[in-house]
Coordinates of all heavy atoms in Angstrom, one line a residue:
N12 N -6.8 0.1 -11.4 CA -5.3 -0.1 -11.4 C -4.9 -1.4 -10.7 O -3.7 -1.6 -10.3 CB -4.6 1.1 -10.8 CG -4.8 2.4 -11.5 OD1 -4.7 2.4 -12.7 ND2 -5.2 3.4 -10.8
I23 N 7.7 -6.6 -4.9 CA 8.0 -6.4 -3.5 C 8.2 -7.8 -2.8 O 9.1 -7.9 -2.1 CB 7.0 -5.5 -2.8 CG1 7.1 -4.1 -3.4 CG2 7.2 -5.5 -1.3 CD1 5.9 -3.2 -3.0
S48 N 15.7 -0.8 2.6 CA 15.3 0.6 2.3 C 14.5 0.7 1.0 O 13.5 1.3 0.8 CB 16.5 1.5 2.3 OG 16.1 2.8 2.0
E72 N -17.0 10.2 -3.0 CA -18.4 9.7 -3.1 C -19.1 9.9 -1.8 O -20.2 10.3 -1.7 CB -18.4 8.3 -3.5 CG -18.2 8.0 -5.0 CD -18.3 6.6 -5.4 OE1 -18.7 5.7 -4.5 OE2 -18.0 6.3 -6.5
E76 N -22.4 12.2 -0.7 CA -23.5 11.7 -0.1 C -23.8 12.4 1.2 O -25.0 12.6 1.6 CB -23.3 10.2 0.2 CG -24.5 9.5 0.8 CD -24.2 8.0 1.0 OE1 -23.6 7.4 0.1 OE2 -24.7 7.5 2.0
E82 N -18.6 11.3 7.3 CA -17.8 11.5 8.5 C -16.9 10.2 8.8 O -15.8 10.4 9.1 CB -18.7 11.8 9.7 CG -19.4 13.1 9.6 CD -20.5 13.3 10.7 OE1 -20.5 12.5 11.7 OE2 -21.2 14.3 10.6
A93 N -2.5 8.9 9.3 CA -1.7 8.9 10.6 C -0.8 7.6 10.7 O 0.3 7.7 11.1 CB -2.6 9.0 11.8

Side-chain angles (χ1 to χ4, degrees):
N12 295 315
I23 292 167
S48 178
E72 282 184 6
E76 186 178 321
E82 292 170 14

